[in-house]
Amino acid sequence: MSQFPTSLSHHWHGTIRAFGRSGSCHSSPWPRLLWIMWAWLSPGASWAHPGTQPHSIKIEGDITLGGLFPVHSRGPPGIPCGELKREKGIHRMEAMLYALDQINSDPDLLPNITLGARILDTCSRDTYALEQSLSFVQALIQKDTSDIRCSNGEPPIIRKPDRVVGVIGASASSVSIMVANVLRLFEIPQISYASTAPELSDNNRYDFFSRVVPPDSYQAQAMVDIVKAMGWNYVSTLASEGNYGESGVDAFIQISREAGGLCIAQSLKIPREPKPGEFDKIIKRLMETSNARGVIIFANEDDIIRVLAAAKRCNLTGHFQFVGSDSWGAKSSPIMDQEDVAEGAVTILPKRASIEGFDQYFTSRSLENNRRNIWFAEFWEDDFRCKLTRPGIKIDSEKKKCTGEERISRHSQYEQEGKVQFVIDAVYAMAHALHSMHLDLCAGAMGVCDKMDPVEGRQLLNYIRSVSFNGSAGTGVLFNENGDAPGRYDIFQYQMSNTSSPGYKVIGQWTNNLRLNMEEMQWSGGERQVPDSVCSLPCNPGERKKMVKGVPCCWHCELCDGYQFQADEFTCEMCPFDMRPTENRTACRATPIIKLEWHSPWAIIPVFLAILGILATSSVVITFIRFNDTPMVRASGRELSYVLLTGIFLIYLITFLMIAEPGPVVCAFRRLLLGLGMCISYSAMLTKTNRIYRIFEQGKKSVSPPKFISPTSQLVITFILISVQVIGVFVWFGVVPPHTIIDYEELRPPNPDLARGILKCDMSDLSLICCLSYSIVLMVTCTVYAVKSRGVPETFNEAKPIGFTMYTTCIIWLAFVPIFFGTAQSTEKMYIQTTTLTVSMSLSASVSLGMLYIPKVYVIIFHPEQNVQKRKRSFKAVVQAATMSTRLSQKSNDKQNGETKIEPDRTQ
């Protein structure tokens, strides 16, 4: 043994004596601890709790191991110990006795060396366990007995306490932490079989602590993996106050934060001494975030029972889905009488196996063969629900008397406690370390040699950290540099429905990574679908997540509207101009391209009118050609009539070009013929009206005829007017060659499903109007001359029919303008505008054809007797007619009633 404990003990002795002489109280825990140690270790001193003598199991041996087990539960305030713990206490403690028996009977492990034990009850309370464990360091403290004398003057004979070389335990992490702080001061190695707090992995603070169970940091990682595998991202945590619960939850929160994608709705703590109604308050707090149905629970067995009971009282059976740590594991006691609340609970437990040899050992224990276990009689009464007779104690009449013939598992329910395997492995780890130490130091000597007497603690620790053997369950037992065992877990789920034997079912394993059989899981009511535990449900396709500030797992779903699509889960972006979003708005698709089809109702009516017009125009032309030399045709002005009929024919023809599929050739002819037909028609009519007007006006002034009234002159004037339109179109060809475009903006309504790209020629509304503007100018000018020529006698040439034609045409085009431009925002714009334009042009052509030529054709065909030669009218007759007309207009102002009708001179 090193000199540290001896020298330290002298220092402590002086400190303790000084403290004992002092009347002051210290707030620091260490002076109080030293005072407790001195008071406990002084000769004749009483125990820390007056009136209660500590019980311990002592087994003689060459080398003594300490043992710490929660034989009893925590007592109520003021009482250290409560009820007996049959599984976590007696089973585990008997596992150490079983392991010692096995080792002592093994000729290959520590041959000729017997392991003894000093086993203490921690009563599941860290402070009480600390007081009890001081007996382990008693032999290492040299007490000053110089002032102690016997009554006969002889020096006292003080029995030297057994030296404990290592400690097996404790169970709860809080107890292990408290005990480890003392044991490390005296360099006593400690191997725990159940303490899993991550804090104990700190090799700087707990350098003499090791454990055969993995730390909760592994367990927390496994639980994070389980939660993610079930698709949960919003859970609450619940921890018992203390190192085990708080450290486990802290590790879970830390790992989940590093992994990302998992949020903690609430993190609640269960007080060490909960007040009445505390657990109902906890359930109500959990319901404040009811979407977080998953509850991660790191709590002791007693707290688990009360949490489930509170959930049942609040009628929340099946709402919360618990994920329990190894303190829950596969135990039946936490869920007894509240199985319906626990149904579906997923629990985790370090990978274990039932040790068949221990079952045989434990079920064979009886009051006669197990007298070394001082708590076995109490266990017997509790297990068989009977009462043993004791001198001076009356038996409760309500309880039966124990006969001693009862047998475990035959007359009572028995199931091996889950940590039995680890207790056995912890004892064997200590034995293997001592065996290796003996081989190295004693060089084959029998028994404990001088170099191992006493066993040096730090040296033993090095051997403990180096052990590697197959444990009681066949799995490897070894420790890392922090004294931690590797993480190997079984994952259980408590199932009731669809099974003949309700209970815990293994659904997976975790060994550095998760293997979970989702198909074998079932939930409350036998439901196979994993319950949701999410803050926000996933957004539908086409919806983006708008995150809630500060809570990365909570969001609102916003639809990507208009022409937006879902670029990623957080972003909506606009589709390219030639595309539109798909129906679910997760991508973009090409916008359909349309054009005016021949079978469309918008095309059928214009085409029908155009065909009728072409047939009618062709009939007139044929009639005029056939009767070309008749008076009626000659009187109409044959040359200009043919020009005008050509223009009317082209007006009808443009309908087919406007409906035809756009292409460079079609677009070129559209530009050329759109205004050319009207230009030809109105140029011819303007020339006619202008000729009549000039003749009429000239007749008022003189008898000489005006210039340029011959047919040749009229044709020249007409072609000059037409050439302006043709030259303008060819200049347009040179500046912007005709081509097609796809217009995606024209049919882009708010609803993208209705969006269309329109295949069209490169003619905007403005260019179309410009193309027609010259013809409109000719039309207006022609109308002006028609108005001025309204005084010509009705039998004189064609002035009045042309006038009526132009009035009607103006009305048609005045109606065209608001219809054409008023539908610019309509989704049917292309159809309406094309139909309006073609119909308006056909109507204007039909008016010209109907007013000017249909009556003549009617006379030529049906009244040929009127199509005869009349005397030639001289310019003098025109002058007379003009003079008479002037006089008539002057006299009409003086006459109030009656009409004066002057017949023109038809004799000329």
Side-chain angles (χ1 to χ4, degrees), residues 842-870:
S842 294
L843 288 177
S844 62
S846 299
V847 168
S848 300
L849 189 66
M851 290 283 188
L852 299 177
Y853 295 105
I854 297 300
K856 292 180 173 62
V857 172
Y858 176 77
V859 171
I860 291 171
I861 300 299
F862 297 103
H863 296 282
E865 70 279 0
Q866 297 181 13
N867 189 13
V868 294
Q869 180 70 36
K870 294 184 178 180

Short mmCIF file of all heavy atoms in Angstrom, two decimals, residues 842-870:
data_model
loop_
_atom_site.label_atom_id
_atom_site.label_comp_id
_atom_site.label_asym_id
_atom_site.label_seq_id
_atom_site.Cartn_x
_atom_site.Cartn_y
_atom_site.Cartn_z
N SER A 842 -64.56 41.62 -93.00
CA SER A 842 -65.52 40.97 -93.90
C SER A 842 -66.80 41.78 -94.00
O SER A 842 -67.40 41.90 -95.08
CB SER A 842 -65.82 39.55 -93.40
OG SER A 842 -64.67 38.73 -93.49
N LEU A 843 -67.25 42.34 -92.86
CA LEU A 843 -68.48 43.14 -92.89
C LEU A 843 -68.29 44.41 -93.72
O LEU A 843 -69.18 44.80 -94.51
CB LEU A 843 -68.91 43.50 -91.46
CG LEU A 843 -69.48 42.36 -90.61
CD1 LEU A 843 -69.79 42.84 -89.21
CD2 LEU A 843 -70.73 41.79 -91.26
N SER A 844 -67.14 45.07 -93.54
CA SER A 844 -66.90 46.29 -94.32
C SER A 844 -66.82 45.95 -95.81
O SER A 844 -67.32 46.71 -96.67
CB SER A 844 -65.62 46.97 -93.85
OG SER A 844 -64.50 46.13 -94.06
N ALA A 845 -66.20 44.83 -96.16
CA ALA A 845 -66.15 44.41 -97.56
C ALA A 845 -67.54 44.07 -98.06
O ALA A 845 -67.90 44.38 -99.22
CB ALA A 845 -65.21 43.20 -97.70
N SER A 846 -68.33 43.40 -97.20
CA SER A 846 -69.68 43.02 -97.61
C SER A 846 -70.56 44.24 -97.82
O SER A 846 -71.41 44.26 -98.74
CB SER A 846 -70.31 42.10 -96.55
OG SER A 846 -69.55 40.92 -96.39
N VAL A 847 -70.37 45.26 -96.97
CA VAL A 847 -71.14 46.50 -97.14
C VAL A 847 -70.80 47.15 -98.49
O VAL A 847 -71.69 47.57 -99.25
CB VAL A 847 -70.85 47.47 -95.97
CG1 VAL A 847 -71.40 48.87 -96.30
CG2 VAL A 847 -71.46 46.95 -94.70
N SER A 848 -69.50 47.20 -98.79
CA SER A 848 -69.09 47.78 -100.08
C SER A 848 -69.65 46.97 -101.23
O SER A 848 -70.19 47.53 -102.21
CB SER A 848 -67.56 47.82 -100.18
OG SER A 848 -67.01 48.60 -99.15
N LEU A 849 -69.53 45.66 -101.12
CA LEU A 849 -70.03 44.81 -102.19
C LEU A 849 -71.54 44.93 -102.32
O LEU A 849 -72.08 45.01 -103.44
CB LEU A 849 -69.63 43.35 -101.91
CG LEU A 849 -69.88 42.34 -103.02
CD1 LEU A 849 -69.00 42.65 -104.22
CD2 LEU A 849 -69.60 40.93 -102.50
N GLY A 850 -72.23 44.93 -101.19
CA GLY A 850 -73.69 44.97 -101.22
C GLY A 850 -74.25 46.29 -101.70
O GLY A 850 -75.23 46.32 -102.45
N MET A 851 -73.63 47.40 -101.28
CA MET A 851 -74.15 48.71 -101.64
C MET A 851 -73.84 49.07 -103.09
O MET A 851 -74.64 49.68 -103.78
CB MET A 851 -73.54 49.77 -100.71
CG MET A 851 -74.05 49.70 -99.28
SD MET A 851 -75.72 50.39 -99.15
CE MET A 851 -75.91 50.37 -97.38
N LEU A 852 -72.66 48.70 -103.56
CA LEU A 852 -72.20 49.19 -104.85
C LEU A 852 -72.48 48.25 -106.01
O LEU A 852 -72.72 48.69 -107.14
CB LEU A 852 -70.69 49.49 -104.79
CG LEU A 852 -70.26 50.56 -103.77
CD1 LEU A 852 -68.75 50.70 -103.77
CD2 LEU A 852 -70.92 51.89 -104.08
N TYR A 853 -72.45 46.93 -105.75
CA TYR A 853 -72.47 46.01 -106.89
C TYR A 853 -73.64 45.03 -106.91
O TYR A 853 -74.04 44.59 -107.98
CB TYR A 853 -71.13 45.25 -106.96
CG TYR A 853 -69.99 46.17 -107.24
CD1 TYR A 853 -69.09 46.53 -106.24
CD2 TYR A 853 -69.80 46.69 -108.52
CE1 TYR A 853 -68.04 47.38 -106.49
CE2 TYR A 853 -68.75 47.55 -108.79
CZ TYR A 853 -67.87 47.89 -107.77
OH TYR A 853 -66.84 48.74 -108.03
N ILE A 854 -74.14 44.66 -105.77
CA ILE A 854 -75.25 43.70 -105.79
C ILE A 854 -76.46 44.26 -106.53
O ILE A 854 -77.09 43.55 -107.34
CB ILE A 854 -75.62 43.28 -104.35
CG1 ILE A 854 -74.42 42.53 -103.70
CG2 ILE A 854 -76.86 42.40 -104.34
CD1 ILE A 854 -74.00 41.28 -104.43
N PRO A 855 -76.84 45.55 -106.33
CA PRO A 855 -77.98 46.08 -107.11
C PRO A 855 -77.72 46.03 -108.62
O PRO A 855 -78.63 45.72 -109.40
CB PRO A 855 -78.10 47.53 -106.62
CG PRO A 855 -77.50 47.50 -105.25
CD PRO A 855 -76.37 46.52 -105.33
N LYS A 856 -76.50 46.32 -109.03
CA LYS A 856 -76.18 46.30 -110.46
C LYS A 856 -76.29 44.88 -111.00
O LYS A 856 -76.81 44.64 -112.09
CB LYS A 856 -74.78 46.85 -110.68
CG LYS A 856 -74.66 48.34 -110.39
CD LYS A 856 -73.23 48.82 -110.64
CE LYS A 856 -73.15 50.33 -110.51
NZ LYS A 856 -73.49 50.82 -109.18
N VAL A 857 -75.74 43.90 -110.22
CA VAL A 857 -75.81 42.51 -110.66
C VAL A 857 -77.27 42.08 -110.75
O VAL A 857 -77.66 41.35 -111.67
CB VAL A 857 -75.00 41.61 -109.71
CG1 VAL A 857 -75.23 40.14 -110.04
CG2 VAL A 857 -73.52 41.95 -109.80
N TYR A 858 -78.05 42.53 -109.77
CA TYR A 858 -79.47 42.18 -109.77
C TYR A 858 -80.15 42.68 -111.05
O TYR A 858 -80.91 41.96 -111.70
CB TYR A 858 -80.14 42.78 -108.54
CG TYR A 858 -81.63 42.55 -108.50
CD1 TYR A 858 -82.15 41.30 -108.13
CD2 TYR A 858 -82.51 43.57 -108.86
CE1 TYR A 858 -83.52 41.10 -108.10
CE2 TYR A 858 -83.87 43.37 -108.84
CZ TYR A 858 -84.37 42.12 -108.45
OH TYR A 858 -85.73 41.92 -108.43
N VAL A 859 -79.86 43.93 -111.44
CA VAL A 859 -80.45 44.50 -112.65
C VAL A 859 -79.95 43.75 -113.88
O VAL A 859 -80.72 43.40 -114.79
CB VAL A 859 -80.14 46.00 -112.75
CG1 VAL A 859 -80.56 46.55 -114.13
CG2 VAL A 859 -80.82 46.76 -111.64
N ILE A 860 -78.62 43.48 -113.91
CA ILE A 860 -78.04 42.82 -115.09
C ILE A 860 -78.65 41.44 -115.27
O ILE A 860 -78.97 41.03 -116.40
CB ILE A 860 -76.51 42.73 -114.95
CG1 ILE A 860 -75.88 44.12 -115.05
CG2 ILE A 860 -75.89 41.82 -116.00
CD1 ILE A 860 -74.42 44.16 -114.70
N ILE A 861 -78.85 40.71 -114.21
CA ILE A 861 -79.31 39.32 -114.31
C ILE A 861 -80.82 39.25 -114.44
O ILE A 861 -81.35 38.54 -115.30
CB ILE A 861 -78.83 38.51 -113.08
CG1 ILE A 861 -77.29 38.51 -112.99
CG2 ILE A 861 -79.36 37.07 -113.14
CD1 ILE A 861 -76.60 37.89 -114.16
N PHE A 862 -81.52 39.97 -113.54
CA PHE A 862 -82.97 39.80 -113.48
C PHE A 862 -83.76 40.85 -114.25
O PHE A 862 -84.94 40.66 -114.51
CB PHE A 862 -83.42 39.80 -112.01
CG PHE A 862 -82.83 38.66 -111.23
CD1 PHE A 862 -81.77 38.86 -110.36
CD2 PHE A 862 -83.32 37.36 -111.39
CE1 PHE A 862 -81.23 37.80 -109.65
CE2 PHE A 862 -82.78 36.32 -110.69
CZ PHE A 862 -81.73 36.53 -109.81
N HIS A 863 -83.18 42.00 -114.58
CA HIS A 863 -83.89 43.04 -115.34
C HIS A 863 -83.00 43.52 -116.49
O HIS A 863 -82.57 44.69 -116.52
CB HIS A 863 -84.27 44.21 -114.43
CG HIS A 863 -85.24 43.83 -113.36
ND1 HIS A 863 -86.60 43.66 -113.61
CD2 HIS A 863 -85.04 43.55 -112.04
CE1 HIS A 863 -87.20 43.31 -112.48
NE2 HIS A 863 -86.28 43.23 -111.52
N PRO A 864 -82.75 42.63 -117.43
CA PRO A 864 -81.88 43.05 -118.54
C PRO A 864 -82.50 44.16 -119.38
O PRO A 864 -81.77 44.87 -120.09
CB PRO A 864 -81.72 41.76 -119.35
CG PRO A 864 -82.87 40.91 -118.96
CD PRO A 864 -83.22 41.26 -117.56
N GLU A 865 -83.84 44.37 -119.31
CA GLU A 865 -84.47 45.41 -120.11
C GLU A 865 -84.04 46.81 -119.70
O GLU A 865 -84.15 47.78 -120.46
CB GLU A 865 -86.01 45.29 -120.01
CG GLU A 865 -86.62 45.65 -118.67
CD GLU A 865 -86.54 44.52 -117.64
OE1 GLU A 865 -86.00 43.43 -117.97
OE2 GLU A 865 -87.04 44.71 -116.51
N GLN A 866 -83.56 46.91 -118.41
CA GLN A 866 -83.09 48.22 -117.95
C GLN A 866 -81.63 48.47 -118.30
O GLN A 866 -81.14 49.57 -118.18
CB GLN A 866 -83.27 48.34 -116.43
CG GLN A 866 -84.72 48.26 -115.97
CD GLN A 866 -84.84 48.41 -114.46
OE1 GLN A 866 -83.90 48.81 -113.81
NE2 GLN A 866 -86.02 48.12 -113.96
N ASN A 867 -80.94 47.40 -118.72
CA ASN A 867 -79.52 47.52 -119.06
C ASN A 867 -79.38 47.84 -120.55
O ASN A 867 -78.89 47.06 -121.35
CB ASN A 867 -78.80 46.22 -118.74
CG ASN A 867 -77.29 46.34 -118.87
OD1 ASN A 867 -76.77 47.45 -118.97
ND2 ASN A 867 -76.62 45.20 -118.90
N VAL A 868 -79.90 49.08 -120.93
CA VAL A 868 -79.91 49.48 -122.34
C VAL A 868 -79.16 50.80 -122.48
O VAL A 868 -79.00 51.55 -121.52
CB VAL A 868 -81.36 49.62 -122.85
CG1 VAL A 868 -82.05 48.26 -122.86
CG2 VAL A 868 -82.13 50.62 -122.02
N GLN A 869 -78.82 51.13 -123.74
CA GLN A 869 -78.03 52.34 -124.02
C GLN A 869 -78.90 53.57 -123.88
O GLN A 869 -80.02 53.63 -124.39
CB GLN A 869 -77.47 52.26 -125.46
CG GLN A 869 -76.64 53.47 -125.86
CD GLN A 869 -75.33 53.54 -125.12
OE1 GLN A 869 -74.73 52.50 -124.85
NE2 GLN A 869 -74.89 54.75 -124.76
N LYS A 870 -78.44 54.62 -123.18
CA LYS A 870 -79.12 55.90 -123.07
C LYS A 870 -78.25 56.97 -123.72
O LYS A 870 -77.03 56.77 -123.85
CB LYS A 870 -79.40 56.26 -121.62
CG LYS A 870 -80.40 55.29 -120.96
CD LYS A 870 -80.73 55.74 -119.55
CE LYS A 870 -81.75 54.79 -118.91
NZ LYS A 870 -82.08 55.20 -117.55
#
